[in-house]
Amino acid sequence: MTGPSSIQFSPDADRARLGALEVELAQRESDLARFKVELSDLQQRYLDEIGVLYAQLSGIESACIEMEIAQGLRAPVLAEDDDEVDPETYKLESCTNRSEPTDDLKRVFRDLAKTIHPDLAMDEPARYRRHSLMAEANRAYAERDADRLRLILRAWERNPDALFDDSSEDAQLRVSRRVVEIDQRLIEIDAELAELRRTAIWRLKGKIDQARAQGWDLFTEMLLQVKRDISRSMARRRALEISAREGGE
């Protein structure tokens, strides 16, 4: 069986791989930055154009409910009454509960922790790199993401800290170290993207993009829908106001 001490490194191959990784990293960093800007812009647009209308709609609906209660058309809502809980809100809150870790997840995490634990480092720079990976492993475990744990382990298997004395400063080792740094940053980018994909604004953007590909504007339709809802609520409020005046005569 070939041991770590017998692994041979090809300077040309490593430099070629480093060049490819540098290009990939630059593209991934650019993509991540672009996604963040697009999501931020969409979120601000939603708040400015749709959010304010929902706030207006909520005020009108609250006024209607108060008038309906006053006119005996609706039973008073008790504070402890759960019937008024928004099911979508409950759904989002309930999704925050983590499932119990599987035996496979526990095993992968234990194997990874034993391999990359910071206490195994030969000096402070190596300890810092191990600590960064260990922190990422802890996040992956908390999110029950066994695939990301395996990805971290695969990246570590190419880590020169596991094969070399960190006191060596030759050019080949510097190339290898840079490869490891890029591998670790790519893992971090994957983690950031995973976090973004779990947000409501990411899902909304996906729906808007999908609708645009089909030839229609979902954002504009959402805007028109809430305006229609406001119009209906205002008509309902006017009818209740007329009913209240006629009842008082």
Side-chain angles (χ1 to χ4, degrees), residues 35 44-45 52 57 66 73 86 89 130-131 158 164 176 183 196 206 214 224 236:
F35 288 147
Q44 191 59 52
R45 184 188 177 198
V52 293
L57 176 61
E66 290 176 4
L73 302 175
D86 183 351
T89 301
R130 287 172 178 263
H131 178 76
R158 299 192 295 272
F164 296 100
S176 298
D183 280 337
L196 289 176
Q214 296 172 357
L224 293 174
R236 175 182 162 204

Side-chain angles (χ1 to χ4, degrees), residues 72-191:
L73 302 175
R74 176 192 291 261
V77 179
L78 301 178
E80 64 273 14
D81 190 351
D82 290 333
D83 290 338
E84 297 299 324
V85 174
D86 183 351
E88 285 302 313
T89 301
Y90 178 79
K91 179 180 178 182
L92 290 175
E93 292 176 349
S94 66
C95 287
T96 61
N97 295 329
R98 299 292 185 190
S99 60
E100 287 299 315
T102 64
D103 291 340
D104 178 64
L105 182 71
K106 292 178 181 178
R107 178 185 57 76
V108 174
F109 180 76
R110 281 196 301 267
D111 291 345
L112 180 57
K114 286 189 293 185
T115 302
I116 67 174
H117 199 283
D119 289 346
L120 300 175
M122 291 178 287
D123 62 14
E124 283 307 309
R127 178 183 295 274
Y128 176 79
R129 287 190 289 274
R130 287 172 178 263
H131 178 76
S132 297
L133 276 181
M134 197 66 225
E136 182 58 36
N138 284 329
R139 284 193 292 271
Y141 182 80
E143 294 167 5
R144 307 298 185 251
D145 194 340
D147 289 338
R148 200 185 331 161
L149 287 175
R150 294 187 179 93
L151 180 62
I152 294 170
L153 183 57
R154 286 198 297 272
W156 175 257
E157 289 170 351
R158 299 192 295 272
N159 194 325
D161 288 342
L163 306 175
F164 296 100
D165 183 344
D166 267 9
S167 63
S168 173
E169 294 296 337
D170 62 10
Q172 176 57 34
L173 184 53
R174 285 195 294 273
V175 170
S176 298
R177 283 176 173 159
R178 180 56 182 157
V179 168
V180 172
E181 290 173 359
I182 294 176
D183 280 337
Q184 292 176 357
R185 178 55 187 150
L186 290 173
I187 291 172
E188 292 170 1
I189 290 174
D190 284 339

Side-chain angles (χ1 to χ4, degrees), residues 7 21-24 32 35 50 65 68 76 103 141 143 159 166 170 180 185 198 238 243 248:
I7 294 178
L21 282 175
E22 293 278 13
V23 172
E24 179 184 358
L32 178 62
F35 288 147
I50 298 180
I65 290 172
E68 287 174 345
D103 291 340
Y141 182 80
E143 294 167 5
N159 194 325
D166 267 9
D170 62 10
V180 172
R185 178 55 187 150
R198 281 190 283 270
R238 285 193 295 270
S243 176

